[in-house]
Amino acid sequence: MTVHDISKTERTEMYLKAVYTLAQTAPPVTISKVAEYMAVSPPASYEMLKRLEAQGLLHSGTGEGHILTPQGMQTATRVVRRLRLAERLLSDVLKIELPLVYAEACKLEHVISPEVEARMAMVLGHPATCPHGLPIPGDSAPPVQSLVTVAQLEVWDHAVLVCIPEEDEPFVTHLVDMGLVPGTALVVREATALGGPITLQIGHQIRALGLEMARRLFVRRERNEPLDADVRESGENRPPR
């Protein structure tokens, strides 16, 4: 295979990965969403998606955005599996900081052989999710679609953060600085009307999260617990449900 062929193959795989990921986390998959994910212009995104459609790798469903065909899904799941296994290796074994993991793993996803993939999975203990909490295809993690976003929670809802976007390094850096990583318990303290920020309690810290950011964070609702001592002492009461 020539260098040109490798470049063409990688580009195809990256677009299929984008469609796969967006279908999980931000459906429907539109030209503009793919363009933002790939950091290209909408016309460039449109042109590549049309090429992939002509190759039988995806199709455009009415009102449903772009959908992978069985052939496209096979390629996308293979690439995403190798990406997220590589992320686990970088994070768990090499201790690379979370915001840097995705970019480094992207360099590996196209060159990992089936033999190395199988060995990585075994050495890592067959993890179900990547360090960002996203499911690794072929393992037992529940789909993202079974979760809700922070934006869908109500005041005083308790939840655990399950997964965050992997591809947006500045956003992941901001979340890490806020203490919002997969596995973090949180409570919604206030939700401002008209698209205003959502106020979260994370441990003993109070953090404000913009609505658009909140829509990108997937959580699992937990049973609401009694208010902790700090809140009781502040004189705040749980509003009626």
Side-chain angles (χ1 to χ4, degrees):
M1 184 179 292
T2 67
V3 173
H4 177 73
D5 291 334
I6 293 173
S7 177
K8 182 178 179 181
T9 299
E10 289 184 1
R11 188 162 177 251
T12 295
E13 290 179 347
M14 289 169 65
Y15 269 88
L16 293 176
K17 178 181 71 176
V19 174
Y20 177 97
T21 302
L22 290 169
Q24 284 191 328
T25 61
V29 182
T30 63
I31 293 169
S32 60
K33 288 179 182 178
V34 173
E36 182 178 1
Y37 186 100
M38 294 294 298
V40 299
S41 68
S45 172
Y46 171 80
E47 180 182 350
M48 187 60 184
L49 291 173
K50 293 301 289 184
R51 289 181 186 175
L52 296 178
E53 189 169 6
Q55 295 171 23
L57 298 173
L58 56 80
H59 62 84
S60 301
T62 303
E64 298 177 346
H66 291 81
I67 301 170
L68 294 169
T69 64
Q71 181 183 356
M73 179 65 76
Q74 183 179 31
T75 299
T77 53
R78 182 183 70 244
V79 174
V80 172
R81 176 173 173 79
R82 293 175 182 177
L83 165 76
R84 292 179 181 168
L85 283 172
E87 288 182 322
R88 270 288 165 206
L89 180 69
L90 292 164
S91 176
D92 297 358
V93 179
L94 301 182
K95 306 302 181 184
I96 303 297
E97 294 180 2
L98 186 60
L100 306 177
V101 162
Y102 175 79
E104 292 297 329
C106 283
K107 301 172 185 177
L108 304 173
E109 65 188 11
H110 309 287
V111 297
I112 296 173
S113 68
E115 294 77 16
V116 171
E117 174 193 325
R119 185 68 177 174
M120 286 172 61
M122 184 181 72
V123 169
L124 292 167
H126 299 280
T129 63
C130 77
H132 306 88
L134 295 164
I136 297 176
D139 286 289
S140 58
V144 174
Q145 294 92 326
S146 67
L147 304 170
V148 297
T149 68
V150 171
Q152 293 173 290
L153 297 175
E154 299 179 13
V155 174
W156 295 112
D157 272 352
H158 291 237
V160 172
L161 183 59
V162 176
C163 57
I164 64 177
E166 60 188 344
E167 74 283 352
D168 190 337
E169 182 178 328
F171 185 42
V172 176
T173 299
H174 182 59
L175 293 176
V176 170
D177 290 343
M178 292 180 68
L180 279 170
V181 295
T184 300
L186 56 89
V187 183
V188 178
R189 293 287 296 272
E190 185 178 358
T192 309
L194 302 176
I198 296 172
T199 303
L200 303 177
Q201 179 177 340
I202 306 167
H204 294 290
Q205 301 293 320
I206 301 297
R207 304 290 190 190
L209 193 68
L211 183 61
E212 287 304 312
M213 295 176 67
R215 288 172 175 159
R216 302 177 68 188
L217 306 182
F218 289 84
V219 298
R220 180 182 66 251
R221 278 194 178 98
E222 299 286 283
R223 182 173 63 86
N224 286 358
E225 301 292 342
L227 299 181
D228 61 31
D230 289 346
V231 176
R232 287 198 301 269
E233 290 173 4
S234 72
E236 297 183 54
N237 295 312
R238 183 187 301 276
R241 298 297 299 266

